[in-house]
Amino acid sequence: MNPEIDYREGLEELASHYESILKLLGEDSTREGLLKTPMRVAKAMQVLTRGYAMDAHKVLTDALFKEDYSHMVIVKDIDFFSLCEHHMLPFYGKVHVAYIPNGYITGLSKIARVVDIFSHRLQVQERMTLQIRECIQDTLKPLGVMVVVEAKHMCMQMRGVEKQNSITTTSEFSGAFNQAKTRQEFMNLLRTESKKI
């Protein structure tokens, strides 16, 4: 799906709902600056939730390669943007993924695509972290997977407690990463690699 061209079914209906929302907020939806806003927002929302129309497992299996490598593979600092399902406000940050292959590897960019797919849905950070880990574990069947997500939440920055600098960190791990030593190696490599590049 090309997010700039291929919009999903229901776009017109979605736009009409946004027009109603503008009116309920006290705006004049017929004024010049807002005439095209309902359709713009409808298109934006379809782009921001395009992950519903994508299969993360297929992304990984489309680039699956037999390889005799059994050490940690890390893809770090994967930028992501998502929408909190509670207030539909953005949360954004970095995802770090490590896995230990068990006979098969996947294209490195595919790990980032998996993050992209799950982040482009209405989410909570905890579930997104779990979904990324489960997808990689279930599809590649590696010796272990670990996912760490660091994010800022606009629902905490713009409303409610209005705390601008808080960062939420979540993690999920399986297999070899159940050992504290392996988790610590991953965390050490994250810090070390950041200094090198």
Side-chain angles (χ1 to χ4, degrees):
M1 173 180 172
N2 181 336
E4 299 304 322
I5 298 169
D6 301 327
Y7 294 102
R8 303 193 303 276
E9 186 179 339
L11 186 65
E12 295 288 340
E13 185 178 357
L14 192 56
S16 74
H17 286 295
Y18 280 113
E19 184 174 4
S20 297
I21 288 169
L22 286 173
K23 291 174 184 173
L24 288 168
L25 291 174
E27 266 292 356
D28 175 7
S29 63
T30 63
R31 70 177 173 86
E32 184 181 6
L34 292 177
L35 272 177
K36 296 183 180 178
T37 296
M39 183 53 74
R40 285 191 197 104
V41 178
K43 287 179 177 179
M45 287 303 292
Q46 283 208 354
V47 170
L48 295 172
T49 60
R50 67 182 180 257
Y52 290 120
M54 298 176 172
D55 184 344
H57 295 278
K58 186 174 186 313
V59 164
L60 291 177
T61 56
D62 281 352
L64 198 59
F65 308 103
K66 189 160 181 55
E67 193 63 49
D68 186 24
Y69 183 84
S70 58
H71 296 281
M72 204 177 297
V73 176
I74 299 174
V75 183
K76 64 183 287 282
D77 292 335
I78 304 167
D79 291 315
F80 83 92
F81 297 88
S82 191
L83 288 175
C84 166
E85 68 180 33
H86 299 146
H87 301 98
M88 291 179 68
L89 289 171
F91 67 99
Y92 60 95
K94 305 265 185 198
V95 177
H96 316 290
V97 177
Y99 75 99
I100 301 172
N102 187 19
Y104 289 92
I105 60 171
T106 190
L108 297 175
S109 67
K110 304 308 178 187
I111 300 293
R113 292 284 296 142
V114 168
V115 171
D116 189 56
I117 288 169
F118 287 116
S119 65
H120 281 81
R121 299 177 182 184
L122 298 181
Q123 279 289 12
V124 293
Q125 183 174 334
E126 297 88 343
R127 183 193 313 123
M128 186 181 84
T129 308
L130 174 64
Q131 287 175 332
I132 294 166
R133 197 269 301 158
E134 283 181 338
C135 178
I136 296 168
Q137 183 68 52
D138 294 347
T139 309
L140 299 183
K141 310 236 181 298
L143 298 175
V145 180
M146 185 162 178
V147 177
V148 175
V149 179
E150 301 169 300
K152 287 191 168 191
H153 291 251
M154 298 299 280
C155 59
M156 285 183 66
Q157 293 177 306
M158 294 177 66
R159 56 160 303 282
V161 294
E162 296 185 12
K163 299 303 178 195
Q164 306 307 310
N165 299 309
S166 64
I167 295 173
T168 302
T169 303
T170 50
S171 66
E172 273 287 336
F173 49 86
S174 63
F177 289 96
N178 283 310
Q179 299 174 16
K181 181 180 174 184
T182 310
R183 291 197 305 275
Q184 190 58 52
E185 180 185 350
F186 173 45
M187 299 308 288
N188 289 341
L189 285 168
L190 283 184
R191 285 191 288 270
T192 303
E193 293 304 312
S194 293
K195 290 174 186 172
K196 283 183 184 176
I197 296 173

